[in-house]
Amino acid sequence: MEASTKKTRKTIIKGRSFPQIAYRKTGKGPVLVLLHGFPENGDLWNKVEPELSEKFTLIIPDLPGSGDSVLAEAQTSMDELAGAVKEILDTEGVKKLVLAGHSMGGYTALAFAEKYPGILKGLSMVHSLATADNEEKKENRRKAISVIQKGGRETFIKQMIPGLFSADFKNNQADELKRQVDTGLKLPAGSIVAFYNAMINRPDRSGILTTAKYPVQWIIGKEDTIASPEVVLKQSTLSGVNFVSVYEDCAHMSMIEQPELLIQDLGRFVQYCFDKQD
Ligand code: MLT
């Protein structure tokens, strides 16, 4: 089945664990899969998609619970979300890919890397972390879940989205900020709770990096308070081959705050991964 969007058409498949998984496929060349974070959907990548699709085949899912993809019940896990990504790849006959994940998409990408390391040519962690939540973070998420379950979804989204962006962006890009809030407001309360619980329950996956046979990329925003430079830089030395970029005037959302830099760095990384001999 196919559903149209303003951009490329979405393909919709039925998953083993999810009633509906939607994704877009565009471009030509080696495969780059782009996983969005929370509380976004595949449209997160709209600003980088046109240029990257000139060199790569992009597969851009809506992770189940977001966009046009649907959760079977009000709970999920990073492993289940990674399973949905694999089902898309199986449908498309993809045997080799670079997987890029933004924040929660990076947690999903690591779950994927744990299960299917053999098909990965590279892993790009875009404002993301390999470690689990600490106790303070888990407690904050539990409080947010309680607020949302009492009907506070809208207030929660309106408060959290500005915190993802740099001071400069917030001061100068009010329209774009509003667009992001509007996107976040589309996420149903059930999905927010499911994603928060999935993030609370995700394990520390930094061990995967120490044995990774593929290059790993780290995109870091200097003003990011979720995947902060201090924490991510430590993780960025765990793998054998690491590409590290730290962006000025950028917090958690380089694909919106600094899209040109991300296009350049992600493009170079993906090219390297496919050019190098295994
Ligand atoms: C995201 O951008 O996906 C979230 O901020 C991740 C998180 O809350 O850990």
Side-chain angles (χ1 to χ4, degrees):
M1 183 171 53
E2 290 200 320
S4 26
T5 64
K6 272 182 267 151
K7 298 175 67 54
T8 40
R9 294 168 81 81
K10 279 186 194 178
T11 299
I12 295 180
I13 58 172
K14 188 175 166 355
R16 273 186 297 277
S17 306
F18 302 106
Q20 183 164 305
I21 306 170
Y23 63 96
R24 285 188 293 117
K25 183 179 171 199
T26 176
K28 54 182 188 304
V31 175
L32 168 61
V33 177
L34 298 170
L35 303 183
H36 65 83
F38 171 93
E40 286 101 26
N41 58 55
D43 287 346
L44 175 75
W45 304 101
N46 281 356
K47 284 185 195 293
V48 300
E49 179 189 324
E51 270 191 64
L52 287 174
S53 66
E54 285 170 15
K55 288 190 184 156
F56 309 111
T57 300
L58 303 182
I59 295 181
I60 308 179
D62 289 337
L63 288 173
S66 314
D68 291 310
S69 295
V70 180
L71 288 172
E73 46 190 326
Q75 61 175 36
T76 189
S77 64
M78 294 307 149
D79 301 78
E80 263 190 6
L81 297 178
V85 175
K86 183 66 166 56
E87 287 186 74
I88 294 172
L89 298 177
D90 290 346
T91 303
E92 293 293 336
V94 174
K95 301 278 185 284
K96 291 282 171 200
L97 69 143
V98 171
L99 185 55
H102 171 240
S103 201
M104 186 183 79
Y107 313 154
T108 306
L110 281 171
F112 184 101
E114 188 170 68
K115 260 194 168 152
Y116 312 108
I119 61 172
L120 277 187
K121 295 289 287 179
L123 172 67
S124 178
M125 297 287 282
V126 182
H127 312 292
S128 195
L129 300 159
T131 41
D133 282 352
N134 61 25
E135 274 315 309
E136 187 188 349
K137 184 93 194 186
K138 286 184 186 176
E139 199 39 44
N140 288 340
R141 289 202 205 274
R142 287 189 196 106
K143 282 186 193 146
I145 289 173
S146 153
V147 167
I148 290 152
Q149 285 173 332
K150 289 184 188 126
R153 182 186 71 99
E154 208 174 310
T155 314
F156 167 75
I157 292 289
K158 284 182 176 164
Q159 277 174 358
M160 83 151 285
I161 298 275
L164 305 177
F165 292 91
S166 69
D168 184 61
F169 187 90
K170 276 185 283 206
N171 289 334
N172 296 306
Q173 304 243 23
D175 288 353
E176 186 62 57
L177 195 60
K178 184 176 176 316
R179 256 196 297 281
Q180 294 309 311
V181 171
D182 290 345
T183 301
L185 287 173
K186 288 187 194 145
L187 199 62
S191 295
I192 299 179
V193 172
F195 288 144
Y196 258 34
N197 278 321
M199 288 194 264
I200 289 173
N201 293 329
R202 77 187 196 279
D204 179 350
R205 288 200 160 96
S206 41
I208 291 174
L209 300 170
T210 58
T211 54
K213 295 204 165 55
Y214 42 81
V216 180
Q217 180 178 46
W218 300 88
I219 301 292
I220 302 169
K222 235 178 168 176
E223 296 179 40
D224 194 346
T225 54
I226 295 165
S228 72
E230 297 72 30
V231 175
V232 181
L233 282 171
K234 283 192 198 121
Q235 302 183 8
S236 72
T237 57
L238 293 173
S239 293
V241 179
N242 293 286
F243 283 53
V244 182
S245 301
V246 183
Y247 297 162
E248 301 279 346
D249 293 326
C250 182
H252 194 59
M253 307 292 286
S254 59
M255 65 297 292
I256 294 164
E257 296 171 285
Q258 300 285 358
E260 290 306 323
L261 291 179
L262 186 64
I263 289 166
Q264 178 183 294
D265 289 337
L266 192 50
R268 279 187 190 150
F269 175 70
V270 178
Q271 200 64 57
Y272 171 85
C273 291
F274 280 103
D275 284 351
K276 83 176 184 39
Q277 301 298 318
D278 289 321

